[in-house]
Amino acid sequence: MAGTAPKPRPHAPLRPALRAPKPYGALPSARQLAWHGVEVYGIMHLTPTTFENKEWGFGDASPTTFNPTDFNADQIIKAAKAGGLKGIILVAKHHDGFALWPTKTTEYNITKSPFRGGQGDLVREIEQAARRNGLQFGIYCSPWDRNSAKYGTGEYLAMYQAQLRELYSNYGALFMSWHDGANGGDGYYGGAREKRSIDNATYYDWDRTWGDITRKMQPTANIFSDVGWDVRWVGNEDGHAAETSWATFTPMPAAGKNVAVPGQSDYPQNPVGTRNGKFWMPAECDVPLRKGWFYHPTEQPKTPAALFDLYLKSVGRGAGLDLGLAPDTRGQLHADDVAALQSFGSLVQRTFAHNLASRARITASNTRGPGYAPKALLDGNGQTYWATADAVTTASMTLELPGPQTFDLISLQEYIPLGQRIEAFNAEAWDGSGWKTICAGTSIGAKRLVPLEAPVTASKLRLNLTQAPVCLTLSEFGLYKRAE
Ligand code: FUL
Ligand code: CA
């Protein structure tokens, strides 16, 4: 995208009014900007727990349980790609503690299974298939380990950190490092079969685990947790953010606690975020394609229409959509899952293939000056944007379409490298005799998709940006008709 941005004119005099707007509030890092570009990705669960038909393995399944008879990384990744997923996070170790790579840290790993005659490395196979097919790769390594005898003691942290080091060293650059919040409780724990509780505020020493290991070894990896450093959990596993969803966030400590750290924060705010929050920490909406994160023969994948609705409520609210993929005991996605992904991907692709506003004549009530003209909203390039003069915090723009168009979705994007600025907007359509409000909303951020109650046919439209603390930026505007 950056490659198509207009080159600055070197001889244009740099009058102060033409300088870019001053950034506002917490800003996204380069790593987060890259993450915003991914939008839809997947998280894959396939461990001994699949073969036990459970959601949480206790940690006592024999390694020989893990025996996918026809594992095919390309089948899984190609289905993900057809679904429009641009990245895949592999659960390299779930709560049951079984490591899907030949680790030195525990005997409870893939080399003790029949998979590839004990020579296999499932992390490697998925990583390579992902890269071959142009998907980014990420890792989930569960902090909670129900197999390890060491769990709950100081020794376990060293083991967990060593596991992260192995995963960070051997599988190329990661786009995400995903850290689950489920912690402690009962488990096998090397045969003790007991309940172990840890203080999740201190036990994993996240400052050092993430600061000294993840950041240093994998600077491109976005750290996800309920209050991850880069991406926050949306607060539910249903796949949607709140209708108002700010990318900025000030984590809330749990009742009686001083600081909000993973596992010790209050979640009511997570779906909405915090207006003017301390950090840029957009939401990830994680939701399984089926009912559970692991494959169960009795469950069905969600319909393409339901997935499209989740897309609107996640990506369309400035968040990411992380779709759970559950290969079956063959080690492949069920044909129903492949079909659901394919139809969902096609629905998104066909809906957004053509911006019905792309040939509109667009005028704005205020423009900062040359280089910030409103036509930047229609060039399909997120790097070019329209902006107002410093003192102007509300504006309207009028779009005259070449003829009547029928649409039921409006798409807006802010130029987020300068922060999340806009707090309220609405749109009106000209119905021949007057302006009729067709939608209204609050947060925009990386992307806002507004589904209209019913399709609108119009050849003239007005977008009103009605509230912001500072001057405005907007990088893209689109009108779309939901595909059948
Ligand atoms: C959850 C875990 O407890 C689930 O088993 C699953 O891995 C999901 C992605 O995160 O919190
Ligand atoms: Ca643009």
Side-chain angles (χ1 to χ4, degrees), residues 89-136:
I89 299 161
L90 177 68
V91 175
K93 182 189 88 168
H94 198 244
H95 309 327
D96 69 335
F98 186 79
L100 293 175
W101 75 103
T103 178
K104 294 196 176 74
T105 61
T106 172
E107 292 284 293
Y108 198 49
N109 73 60
I110 200 156
T111 63
K112 302 289 184 297
S113 82
F115 180 67
R116 309 266 186 258
Q119 302 297 306
D121 181 348
L122 200 133
V123 179
R124 167 97 50 231
E125 290 196 36
I126 288 290
E127 182 245 340
Q128 299 207 336
R131 299 201 194 280
R132 257 198 309 279
N133 288 283
L135 273 73
Q136 303 201 42

Short mmCIF file of all heavy atoms in Angstrom, two decimals, residues 89-136:
data_model
loop_
_atom_site.label_atom_id
_atom_site.label_comp_id
_atom_site.label_asym_id
_atom_site.label_seq_id
_atom_site.Cartn_x
_atom_site.Cartn_y
_atom_site.Cartn_z
N ILE A 89 -2.61 -18.63 13.63
CA ILE A 89 -1.92 -18.83 14.91
C ILE A 89 -2.07 -20.30 15.23
O ILE A 89 -3.18 -20.83 15.22
CB ILE A 89 -2.57 -17.98 16.01
CG1 ILE A 89 -2.48 -16.49 15.67
CG2 ILE A 89 -1.93 -18.26 17.37
CD1 ILE A 89 -3.48 -15.64 16.43
N LEU A 90 -0.96 -20.97 15.49
CA LEU A 90 -1.05 -22.38 15.83
C LEU A 90 -0.95 -22.55 17.34
O LEU A 90 -0.05 -21.99 17.97
CB LEU A 90 0.08 -23.17 15.15
CG LEU A 90 0.09 -24.65 15.54
CD1 LEU A 90 -1.13 -25.38 14.97
CD2 LEU A 90 1.36 -25.33 15.12
N VAL A 91 -1.86 -23.31 17.89
CA VAL A 91 -1.76 -23.68 19.30
C VAL A 91 -0.65 -24.74 19.38
O VAL A 91 -0.87 -25.91 19.11
CB VAL A 91 -3.09 -24.21 19.85
CG1 VAL A 91 -2.94 -24.70 21.28
CG2 VAL A 91 -4.15 -23.11 19.77
N ALA A 92 0.54 -24.29 19.72
CA ALA A 92 1.70 -25.19 19.76
C ALA A 92 1.68 -26.03 21.04
O ALA A 92 2.23 -27.11 21.10
CB ALA A 92 3.00 -24.37 19.70
N LYS A 93 1.03 -25.47 22.07
CA LYS A 93 0.80 -26.20 23.32
C LYS A 93 -0.47 -25.64 23.95
O LYS A 93 -0.57 -24.45 24.16
CB LYS A 93 1.98 -26.03 24.29
CG LYS A 93 1.82 -26.82 25.59
CD LYS A 93 2.89 -26.46 26.62
CE LYS A 93 2.47 -25.29 27.49
NZ LYS A 93 3.35 -25.11 28.67
N HIS A 94 -1.45 -26.52 24.20
CA HIS A 94 -2.68 -26.09 24.87
C HIS A 94 -2.54 -26.37 26.37
O HIS A 94 -1.46 -26.75 26.85
CB HIS A 94 -3.90 -26.79 24.24
CG HIS A 94 -5.20 -26.11 24.54
ND1 HIS A 94 -6.20 -26.70 25.27
CD2 HIS A 94 -5.64 -24.87 24.22
CE1 HIS A 94 -7.22 -25.85 25.37
NE2 HIS A 94 -6.91 -24.73 24.75
N HIS A 95 -3.64 -26.21 27.09
CA HIS A 95 -3.58 -26.37 28.55
C HIS A 95 -3.15 -27.79 28.96
O HIS A 95 -2.64 -27.98 30.06
CB HIS A 95 -4.94 -26.06 29.20
CG HIS A 95 -5.53 -24.75 28.79
ND1 HIS A 95 -4.77 -23.65 28.49
CD2 HIS A 95 -6.82 -24.36 28.62
CE1 HIS A 95 -5.57 -22.64 28.17
NE2 HIS A 95 -6.82 -23.05 28.22
N ASP A 96 -3.37 -28.78 28.10
CA ASP A 96 -2.98 -30.16 28.44
C ASP A 96 -1.46 -30.35 28.45
O ASP A 96 -0.97 -31.39 28.89
CB ASP A 96 -3.63 -31.15 27.47
CG ASP A 96 -3.07 -31.05 26.07
OD1 ASP A 96 -2.56 -29.97 25.70
OD2 ASP A 96 -3.14 -32.04 25.32
N GLY A 97 -0.72 -29.36 27.94
CA GLY A 97 0.73 -29.39 28.06
C GLY A 97 1.47 -30.12 26.95
O GLY A 97 2.71 -30.13 26.94
N PHE A 98 0.76 -30.73 26.00
CA PHE A 98 1.43 -31.51 24.95
C PHE A 98 2.04 -30.58 23.91
O PHE A 98 1.33 -29.79 23.28
CB PHE A 98 0.42 -32.45 24.29
CG PHE A 98 1.02 -33.41 23.31
CD1 PHE A 98 1.67 -34.57 23.74
CD2 PHE A 98 0.93 -33.16 21.94
CE1 PHE A 98 2.21 -35.46 22.83
CE2 PHE A 98 1.48 -34.06 21.02
CZ PHE A 98 2.12 -35.21 21.46
N ALA A 99 3.34 -30.70 23.71
CA ALA A 99 4.05 -29.81 22.77
C ALA A 99 4.06 -30.42 21.38
O ALA A 99 4.47 -31.57 21.20
CB ALA A 99 5.48 -29.56 23.25
N LEU A 100 3.63 -29.64 20.40
CA LEU A 100 3.53 -30.14 19.02
C LEU A 100 4.83 -29.98 18.24
O LEU A 100 4.87 -30.16 17.04
CB LEU A 100 2.41 -29.40 18.28
CG LEU A 100 0.99 -29.68 18.78
CD1 LEU A 100 -0.01 -28.79 18.04
CD2 LEU A 100 0.61 -31.14 18.61
N TRP A 101 5.89 -29.64 18.94
CA TRP A 101 7.21 -29.54 18.30
C TRP A 101 8.20 -30.34 19.15
O TRP A 101 7.94 -30.59 20.34
CB TRP A 101 7.62 -28.08 18.16
CG TRP A 101 8.07 -27.39 19.41
CD1 TRP A 101 9.37 -27.12 19.78
CD2 TRP A 101 7.25 -26.89 20.50
NE1 TRP A 101 9.39 -26.47 21.01
CE2 TRP A 101 8.12 -26.32 21.47
CE3 TRP A 101 5.88 -26.88 20.76
CZ2 TRP A 101 7.65 -25.75 22.66
CZ3 TRP A 101 5.42 -26.31 21.93
CH2 TRP A 101 6.29 -25.75 22.87
N PRO A 102 9.32 -30.75 18.56
CA PRO A 102 10.28 -31.57 19.32
C PRO A 102 11.03 -30.70 20.33
O PRO A 102 12.17 -30.30 20.08
CB PRO A 102 11.20 -32.14 18.24
CG PRO A 102 11.04 -31.26 17.05
CD PRO A 102 9.70 -30.59 17.14
N THR A 103 10.42 -30.45 21.46
CA THR A 103 11.01 -29.55 22.46
C THR A 103 11.99 -30.28 23.37
O THR A 103 11.87 -31.49 23.58
CB THR A 103 9.89 -28.92 23.33
OG1 THR A 103 10.49 -28.09 24.32
CG2 THR A 103 9.05 -29.99 24.01
N LYS A 104 12.94 -29.52 23.89
CA LYS A 104 13.86 -30.10 24.88
C LYS A 104 13.31 -29.93 26.30
O LYS A 104 13.89 -30.42 27.25
CB LYS A 104 15.22 -29.37 24.80
CG LYS A 104 15.94 -29.58 23.49
CD LYS A 104 17.42 -29.17 23.63
CE LYS A 104 18.20 -29.46 22.37
NZ LYS A 104 17.88 -28.47 21.30
N THR A 105 12.18 -29.19 26.42
CA THR A 105 11.73 -28.79 27.75
C THR A 105 10.88 -29.83 28.47
O THR A 105 10.72 -29.76 29.68
CB THR A 105 10.90 -27.50 27.67
OG1 THR A 105 9.75 -27.76 26.85
CG2 THR A 105 11.70 -26.36 27.06
N THR A 106 10.28 -30.74 27.72
CA THR A 106 9.41 -31.75 28.35
C THR A 106 9.36 -33.01 27.48
O THR A 106 9.45 -32.93 26.25
CB THR A 106 7.97 -31.21 28.57
OG1 THR A 106 7.13 -32.30 28.99
CG2 THR A 106 7.39 -30.61 27.31
N GLU A 107 9.19 -34.12 28.16
CA GLU A 107 9.03 -35.39 27.46
C GLU A 107 7.66 -35.48 26.79
O GLU A 107 7.44 -36.32 25.93
CB GLU A 107 9.12 -36.54 28.48
CG GLU A 107 10.48 -36.73 29.08
CD GLU A 107 11.42 -37.40 28.10
OE1 GLU A 107 11.20 -38.58 27.76
OE2 GLU A 107 12.36 -36.71 27.62
N TYR A 108 6.75 -34.66 27.29
CA TYR A 108 5.37 -34.72 26.81
C TYR A 108 5.26 -33.94 25.51
O TYR A 108 4.79 -32.81 25.46
CB TYR A 108 4.44 -34.14 27.88
CG TYR A 108 2.99 -34.54 27.73
CD1 TYR A 108 2.61 -35.86 27.55
CD2 TYR A 108 1.99 -33.58 27.81
CE1 TYR A 108 1.28 -36.22 27.43
CE2 TYR A 108 0.64 -33.92 27.69
CZ TYR A 108 0.30 -35.25 27.50
OH TYR A 108 -1.02 -35.61 27.38
N ASN A 109 5.75 -34.59 24.43
CA ASN A 109 5.79 -33.88 23.16
C ASN A 109 5.63 -34.82 21.98
O ASN A 109 5.61 -36.04 22.13
CB ASN A 109 7.07 -33.03 23.05
CG ASN A 109 8.29 -33.89 22.82
OD1 ASN A 109 8.40 -34.63 21.84
ND2 ASN A 109 9.24 -33.84 23.75
N ILE A 110 5.57 -34.25 20.83
CA ILE A 110 5.22 -34.95 19.59
C ILE A 110 6.17 -36.09 19.21
O ILE A 110 5.76 -37.03 18.54
CB ILE A 110 5.10 -33.90 18.45
CG1 ILE A 110 4.30 -34.44 17.28
CG2 ILE A 110 6.47 -33.39 18.03
CD1 ILE A 110 3.65 -33.38 16.42
N THR A 111 7.41 -36.03 19.69
CA THR A 111 8.35 -37.11 19.33
C THR A 111 7.98 -38.43 20.02
O THR A 111 8.46 -39.49 19.65
CB THR A 111 9.81 -36.76 19.72
OG1 THR A 111 9.89 -36.62 21.15
CG2 THR A 111 10.27 -35.46 19.06
N LYS A 112 7.12 -38.34 21.03
CA LYS A 112 6.69 -39.56 21.73
C LYS A 112 5.37 -40.10 21.17
O LYS A 112 4.78 -41.02 21.72
CB LYS A 112 6.53 -39.28 23.23
CG LYS A 112 7.80 -38.75 23.89
CD LYS A 112 8.84 -39.86 23.99
CE LYS A 112 10.11 -39.42 24.74
NZ LYS A 112 10.86 -38.35 24.09
N SER A 113 4.92 -39.48 20.08
CA SER A 113 3.66 -39.92 19.47
C SER A 113 3.96 -40.68 18.17
O SER A 113 5.08 -40.62 17.65
CB SER A 113 2.81 -38.68 19.15
OG SER A 113 3.22 -38.10 17.92
N PRO A 114 2.95 -41.36 17.63
CA PRO A 114 3.16 -42.08 16.36
C PRO A 114 3.27 -41.15 15.15
O PRO A 114 3.62 -41.60 14.07
CB PRO A 114 1.92 -42.97 16.23
CG PRO A 114 1.05 -42.70 17.39
CD PRO A 114 1.61 -41.59 18.20
N PHE A 115 2.97 -39.85 15.35
CA PHE A 115 2.94 -38.91 14.23
C PHE A 115 4.30 -38.86 13.53
O PHE A 115 5.33 -38.59 14.15
CB PHE A 115 2.56 -37.52 14.76
CG PHE A 115 2.50 -36.46 13.70
CD1 PHE A 115 1.52 -36.48 12.71
CD2 PHE A 115 3.42 -35.42 13.68
CE1 PHE A 115 1.46 -35.50 11.74
CE2 PHE A 115 3.37 -34.43 12.71
CZ PHE A 115 2.39 -34.47 11.73
N ARG A 116 4.30 -39.16 12.23
CA ARG A 116 5.53 -39.19 11.41
C ARG A 116 6.61 -40.07 12.08
O ARG A 116 7.80 -39.70 12.09
CB ARG A 116 6.10 -37.79 11.18
CG ARG A 116 5.07 -36.78 10.64
CD ARG A 116 5.09 -36.69 9.14
NE ARG A 116 4.22 -35.65 8.63
CZ ARG A 116 3.00 -35.84 8.10
NH1 ARG A 116 2.48 -37.06 8.03
NH2 ARG A 116 2.31 -34.83 7.63
N GLY A 117 6.16 -41.16 12.70
CA GLY A 117 7.09 -42.11 13.32
C GLY A 117 7.96 -41.47 14.40
O GLY A 117 9.10 -41.89 14.63
N GLY A 118 7.42 -40.46 15.07
CA GLY A 118 8.19 -39.80 16.15
C GLY A 118 9.19 -38.78 15.63
O GLY A 118 9.96 -38.21 16.41
N GLN A 119 9.16 -38.53 14.32
CA GLN A 119 10.11 -37.58 13.72
C GLN A 119 9.42 -36.26 13.34
O GLN A 119 10.03 -35.40 12.72
CB GLN A 119 10.72 -38.18 12.43
CG GLN A 119 11.45 -39.50 12.62
CD GLN A 119 12.65 -39.35 13.53
OE1 GLN A 119 13.51 -38.50 13.30
NE2 GLN A 119 12.70 -40.14 14.59
N GLY A 120 8.15 -36.15 13.70
CA GLY A 120 7.37 -35.02 13.19
C GLY A 120 7.57 -33.72 13.95
O GLY A 120 8.02 -33.70 15.10
N ASP A 121 7.21 -32.63 13.29
CA ASP A 121 7.17 -31.30 13.91
C ASP A 121 5.97 -30.57 13.30
O ASP A 121 6.05 -30.04 12.19
CB ASP A 121 8.47 -30.55 13.64
CG ASP A 121 8.49 -29.16 14.28
OD1 ASP A 121 7.42 -28.69 14.74
OD2 ASP A 121 9.56 -28.54 14.33
N LEU A 122 4.86 -30.60 14.00
CA LEU A 122 3.63 -30.04 13.45
C LEU A 122 3.69 -28.50 13.36
O LEU A 122 3.10 -27.89 12.47
CB LEU A 122 2.44 -30.49 14.29
CG LEU A 122 1.10 -30.38 13.56
CD1 LEU A 122 0.30 -31.65 13.72
CD2 LEU A 122 0.31 -29.19 14.06
N VAL A 123 4.44 -27.91 14.27
CA VAL A 123 4.60 -26.44 14.21
C VAL A 123 5.28 -26.08 12.89
O VAL A 123 4.85 -25.18 12.16
CB VAL A 123 5.40 -25.92 15.42
CG1 VAL A 123 5.58 -24.41 15.33
CG2 VAL A 123 4.70 -26.30 16.72
N ARG A 124 6.33 -26.80 12.57
CA ARG A 124 7.06 -26.55 11.31
C ARG A 124 6.14 -26.75 10.10
O ARG A 124 6.13 -25.96 9.18
CB ARG A 124 8.26 -27.50 11.22
CG ARG A 124 8.93 -27.55 9.86
CD ARG A 124 10.15 -26.66 9.70
NE ARG A 124 11.07 -26.83 10.77
CZ ARG A 124 11.59 -25.82 11.49
NH1 ARG A 124 11.24 -24.59 11.22
NH2 ARG A 124 12.43 -26.06 12.47
N GLU A 125 5.37 -27.85 10.09
CA GLU A 125 4.53 -28.13 8.92
C GLU A 125 3.49 -27.04 8.69
O GLU A 125 3.26 -26.62 7.56
CB GLU A 125 3.86 -29.52 9.06
CG GLU A 125 4.88 -30.64 8.93
CD GLU A 125 4.24 -32.01 8.66
OE1 GLU A 125 3.23 -32.06 7.93
OE2 GLU A 125 4.77 -33.02 9.18
N ILE A 126 2.86 -26.58 9.77
CA ILE A 126 1.86 -25.51 9.62
C ILE A 126 2.55 -24.20 9.25
O ILE A 126 2.08 -23.46 8.37
CB ILE A 126 1.01 -25.36 10.90
CG1 ILE A 126 0.06 -26.55 11.06
CG2 ILE A 126 0.21 -24.06 10.89
CD1 ILE A 126 -1.09 -26.61 10.05
N GLU A 127 3.66 -23.93 9.89
CA GLU A 127 4.39 -22.68 9.58
C GLU A 127 4.75 -22.63 8.10
O GLU A 127 4.51 -21.62 7.42
CB GLU A 127 5.66 -22.60 10.43
CG GLU A 127 6.45 -21.32 10.23
CD GLU A 127 7.84 -21.51 9.62
OE1 GLU A 127 8.39 -22.62 9.68
OE2 GLU A 127 8.37 -20.53 9.07
N GLN A 128 5.28 -23.73 7.59
CA GLN A 128 5.73 -23.71 6.20
C GLN A 128 4.56 -23.64 5.23
O GLN A 128 4.63 -22.95 4.22
CB GLN A 128 6.67 -24.88 5.94
CG GLN A 128 7.88 -24.74 6.86
CD GLN A 128 9.15 -25.39 6.34
OE1 GLN A 128 9.08 -26.32 5.54
NE2 GLN A 128 10.27 -24.92 6.81
N ALA A 129 3.50 -24.36 5.55
CA ALA A 129 2.31 -24.30 4.68
C ALA A 129 1.74 -22.88 4.67
O ALA A 129 1.32 -22.36 3.63
CB ALA A 129 1.26 -25.30 5.13
N ALA A 130 1.72 -22.24 5.85
CA ALA A 130 1.22 -20.87 5.93
C ALA A 130 2.07 -19.97 5.03
O ALA A 130 1.54 -19.23 4.19
CB ALA A 130 1.25 -20.38 7.38
N ARG A 131 3.35 -20.04 5.17
CA ARG A 131 4.22 -19.13 4.39
C ARG A 131 4.13 -19.44 2.89
O ARG A 131 4.12 -18.52 2.08
CB ARG A 131 5.66 -19.22 4.89
CG ARG A 131 5.78 -18.81 6.37
CD ARG A 131 7.18 -18.40 6.76
NE ARG A 131 7.35 -18.33 8.21
CZ ARG A 131 6.96 -17.31 8.99
NH1 ARG A 131 6.36 -16.26 8.45
NH2 ARG A 131 7.17 -17.35 10.29
N ARG A 132 4.06 -20.72 2.55
CA ARG A 132 3.92 -21.11 1.13
C ARG A 132 2.68 -20.48 0.50
O ARG A 132 2.67 -20.14 -0.66
CB ARG A 132 3.72 -22.64 1.04
CG ARG A 132 4.93 -23.43 0.61
CD ARG A 132 4.56 -24.83 0.12
NE ARG A 132 3.71 -25.63 0.99
CZ ARG A 132 4.12 -26.32 2.04
NH1 ARG A 132 5.40 -26.30 2.40
NH2 ARG A 132 3.28 -27.05 2.75
N ASN A 133 1.63 -20.35 1.32
CA ASN A 133 0.36 -19.84 0.80
C ASN A 133 0.15 -18.35 1.09
O ASN A 133 -0.96 -17.84 0.92
CB ASN A 133 -0.80 -20.66 1.36
CG ASN A 133 -0.84 -22.07 0.75
OD1 ASN A 133 -1.28 -22.24 -0.39
ND2 ASN A 133 -0.35 -23.06 1.47
N GLY A 134 1.19 -17.70 1.57
CA GLY A 134 1.12 -16.25 1.77
C GLY A 134 0.40 -15.81 3.03
O GLY A 134 -0.04 -14.67 3.13
N LEU A 135 0.26 -16.71 4.02
CA LEU A 135 -0.35 -16.32 5.29
C LEU A 135 0.75 -16.04 6.31
O LEU A 135 1.81 -16.66 6.29
CB LEU A 135 -1.24 -17.45 5.84
CG LEU A 135 -2.70 -17.46 5.37
CD1 LEU A 135 -2.77 -17.93 3.92
CD2 LEU A 135 -3.54 -18.37 6.26
N GLN A 136 0.48 -15.12 7.21
CA GLN A 136 1.42 -14.87 8.30
C GLN A 136 1.26 -15.95 9.35
O GLN A 136 0.25 -16.65 9.39
CB GLN A 136 1.15 -13.49 8.89
CG GLN A 136 1.23 -12.41 7.82
CD GLN A 136 1.49 -11.04 8.41
OE1 GLN A 136 2.30 -10.88 9.32
NE2 GLN A 136 0.80 -10.06 7.89
#
